[in-house]
Every structure is written in C-alpha cells, then in structure tokens.
Amino acid sequence: MGCKTVATRRRRANGALVALAFCASASSRAEAEPIRLRAEAIAETQSPAGLVVLEGRDKLRPWIDAEALVWAGARTDPTADVLVLSVRMREPRGLGDVRVGRFIVATGAVRPVQIDGVSAIGRAPFGSTVEVFGGMPVVPRFGSFAYDWLAGARVAHSVASRVTIGASYVQRRSHGEVADDEAGVDFAAIPLKWLDVAARAAYDVTSPGITDAIASAAARRGEWRFELFGSHRSPSRLLPATSLFSVLGDFPSQMIGGTVRWQAAPRLDLLATGAGQTVGGEYGGNGWLRAMLRLDDRGDGNLGLELRRQDVSTAKWSGVRAIGSHALPRGFRFSSEIEIAFPDEPAGRGFAWPWGLLALSWRSKTGWEAAGAVEAAATPAHRFETNALVRISRVLEIR
C-alpha cells in the first residue's frame, strides 16, 4: 500500500503521525516452501499501533495456504487482537474450497461479517455456486458470549459468463435471540458488448426495510463511457445500535445520478459526475468535474485538476483539488496533492480549509523500497495539523 493512500486515509487523525512499515516476502522454486512476511508499525503522538501480516504458501501443495493478520493497537498491556487466522484448502480443479479459523465473510448483497468458524464453497461445472458459512461472531482477544452464533449462505448461477444472479442470507443470534436477520439478491449482466448492468439489494427481516441497494448501468462507445447509478442506504440498519451515528439519528439517503468519461486525447481523460440526493428528507445534490493528463504512456506521471460541489442538508461546500506526480531518475518518484474546501457557512471555523500532501518514493533493482509523505491541513476541528509517514520494504527470494 503506497504512502499516499495511507496518508490520505489518516487525513483526519489528531496529532503527528510517524509510521514505519517493514515488508518482506519470500518466493521460491518448487523444492522450497515459501513464506511471505510483512510487518508494519505505526506510532502516533497519542498512541502506538502495529499490524503484522503472515502468509504461507507452498508450490508443491498449492491447494492449501494459511494467513494471519494481527493488530496491536494502543493498549496498556502487550496483548494483541487477531483479525485473521485461517487455513484454506482448495480443490485442485477449482470446484470448491474450505476455510477454517477467524476470517471475514463477504458474499453477495449481505453485509460482511467476521467470524470464528468455517466457510465452504462448491462450484458446479454448469455455472452454479453454493456457499455456506457459520460460526461465532468475533469479539476482541478471542472472547465469546454464551449462545452467540451466526450462519448464512449464498446460491448463485452464471449463464455463459454473461449473466450472474445470486441470493444470500445471514442470521446472527445474541444470547440465543435473533439479533440480525438479513436477505439479499445480486445481479450482473453483459447483455451487449458495450453495455454492463449490475444491481444488489439487502433487506432487513428483523426490522423490515431495505438496508442497502445499489444499481448501475454503463455503456461504452469509442472514446466515451456513460454510466447511470442509483443507491439507497439506511444508516440505522447498516451501523451497530451503539454507533454514535445511530444515536444522533437515522438519516436514510437516496441518490441517483450519472457519470460521463471522455478520452479527449490519448493521454487526456475528462470526467463529469452529477447526482441528486436526499438526506433526512432534505433534497440536494453533489457533483464534480475532473481532468487528468498522463505525462507518459505507462501513467507513471500525471497532472490533474478537480472541481467539486456538495449541497445537501448541512453539507454545503465547494472545493478544488490539484494533483501531480512524476517519475524521477534512479528509481525515484515524486507526487503531491493540494485541496481547498470553501464552506457556504464558515460559522467561525475559517472561510477555507486547505489540505496538502508531499510524497517521495524510491525503488531499487535489488528489492529495496522506501517511501515517505508529509501532510498538513486546517480543518473545522483544528486550525493546523501535520502528519508524517515513512514506509520501508525489502523483497527477499529464498531458494
């Protein structure tokens, strides 16, 4: 994961951020058993945190692999939380696989769930797929509650790789009582070579209502691409009952709009998106215009400019964003971003909120990689904040 992406994700973090990540991977010939190892450590002014990722694969037995992901957040004790710890076995011809341990199940239209349990997938040669999973909902440090469990399944069928339709269901119980009961359907099709259609919807059976629904249709013609989309989301059904957003109130959101993309020149793309939106019964909309110029055929360097407008409920602001990156000699690459948002009603929090990022990366032919980034911003919550991140990685080959 690049330093620019990580820094952007942590844009709203408080205090200074200094991150150090060390990545190592091992790959080998068939006579060895490669183990890939990646460890990342993140330090903040308030609290240290870390992430360790382990993966094991064997070319002699490609039908089995294992992975573990451990998060060591800010704690007064040395205990860490295991996010993923599982073993997966696959049928050599791709007819199915079984996964056992702690992992996240994301299938069909229902919400992703993290469980300590088992998942099995069977694939028929004629295009049908059946997936079943079950276990105990994950709680920190391998804790558990009495009679807490969940189970679900998805059935799907594909026709000539052009149409896929599926139905999924999951039920979660807490102390023996039904806590969540959700059903969903998903659909994807390529009716014509130039047309893609997709849709999915999830329905809350316990508290009857649509949890999440998204539909889109995209058409291509030469240098042009057109897309229509619509969505409906209900936060009280998507978020846990203890979420602050749920406490503040349920504000269902509906949106419908479209996107147009034009390849005006071999290296120049122009995009425009506009959508009407309702939040809590109030009508509004959002939209943006973007121009992206690639400086080389590989896309290693680019220049971009974006104008954005948000006008719905209490979120009313305009913004401008400029980005640029360029490949430098000896394996170096430089990139930068600048954003400025102008609120309609500053309310004493400043008439403009700027944000900027500078990043530099380096890659050697011997397998070493290094990247660093510094960001600074003024936000509605802070007059000034700055963060920094450094990432170092090394690729090893063991024979």
Side-chain angles (χ1 to χ4, degrees), residues 262-287:
W262 176 36
Q263 188 176 0
R267 295 182 181 178
L268 177 63
D269 292 333
L270 303 179
L271 298 91
T273 290
Q277 187 176 5
T278 65
V279 176
E282 296 187 29
Y283 292 88
N286 63 81

Side-chain angles (χ1 to χ4, degrees), residues 91-389:
E91 202 279 330
R93 295 171 295 176
L95 298 180
D97 61 68
V98 177
R99 193 175 188 184
V100 180
R102 171 171 291 188
F103 53 92
I104 297 175
V105 178
T107 181
V110 297
R111 286 171 288 178
V113 292
Q114 185 183 22
I115 65 172
D116 292 323
V118 60
S119 170
I121 301 177
R123 303 178 183 89
F126 49 81
S128 294
T129 302
V130 178
E131 179 178 2
V132 295
F133 56 90
M136 297 181 297
V138 170
V139 294
R141 300 172 63 178
F142 281 104
S144 63
F145 298 105
Y147 308 110
D148 283 12
W149 58 271
L150 64 83
R154 177 176 183 262
V155 179
H157 184 72
S158 299
V159 180
S161 299
R162 297 180 68 89
V163 178
T164 300
I165 185 169
S168 48
Y169 175 80
V170 62
Q171 183 181 101
R172 176 173 177 170
R173 288 181 174 264
S174 178
H175 299 282
E177 301 293 333
V178 176
D180 294 309
D181 204 4
E182 190 175 61
V185 294
D186 56 274
F187 171 82
I190 308 176
L192 301 170
K193 292 183 178 180
W194 50 269
L195 180 64
D196 299 333
V197 180
R200 62 177 173 84
Y203 186 85
D204 191 335
V205 180
T206 306
S207 302
I210 297 176
T211 301
D212 187 20
I214 298 177
S216 65
R220 300 172 298 278
R221 183 178 178 84
E223 294 80 18
W224 293 85
R225 187 179 187 275
F226 307 89
E227 181 181 3
L228 296 177
F229 58 85
S231 67
H232 169 88
R233 293 181 176 178
S234 179
S236 67
R237 297 186 174 91
L238 287 171
L239 299 171
T242 55
S243 168
L244 176 61
F245 292 165
S246 295
V247 174
L248 293 176
D250 176 13
F251 299 100
S253 173
Q254 297 80 32
M255 183 166 58
I256 184 170
T259 298
V260 177
R261 176 178 178 177
W262 176 36
Q263 188 176 0
R267 295 182 181 178
L268 177 63
D269 292 333
L270 303 179
L271 298 91
T273 290
Q277 187 176 5
T278 65
V279 176
E282 296 187 29
Y283 292 88
N286 63 81
W288 50 263
L289 299 172
R290 180 187 301 164
M292 183 66 67
L293 175 65
R294 294 181 293 277
L295 302 180
D296 53 76
D297 294 336
R298 296 175 54 185
D300 291 336
N302 58 70
L303 295 174
L305 181 66
E306 179 179 319
L307 302 177
R308 184 177 291 268
R309 174 63 183 173
Q310 179 78 32
D311 192 340
V312 61
S313 187
T314 58
K316 297 182 178 181
W317 53 272
S318 302
V320 59
R321 175 173 179 252
I323 64 174
S325 64
H326 185 62
L328 302 174
R330 300 183 180 275
F332 286 91
R333 186 173 186 270
F334 171 80
S335 62
S336 64
E337 297 185 31
I338 299 176
E339 298 178 3
I340 304 178
F342 303 91
D344 290 6
E345 299 179 2
R349 298 174 296 177
F351 73 95
W353 303 327
W355 174 87
L357 171 70
L358 296 176
L360 181 67
S361 63
W362 169 74
R363 175 180 298 179
S364 73
K365 296 181 180 180
T366 58
W368 282 98
E369 295 183 15
V374 178
E375 65 171 359
T379 68
H382 300 89
R383 290 184 178 274
F384 177 77
E385 64 174 297
T386 180
N387 302 312
L389 181 147

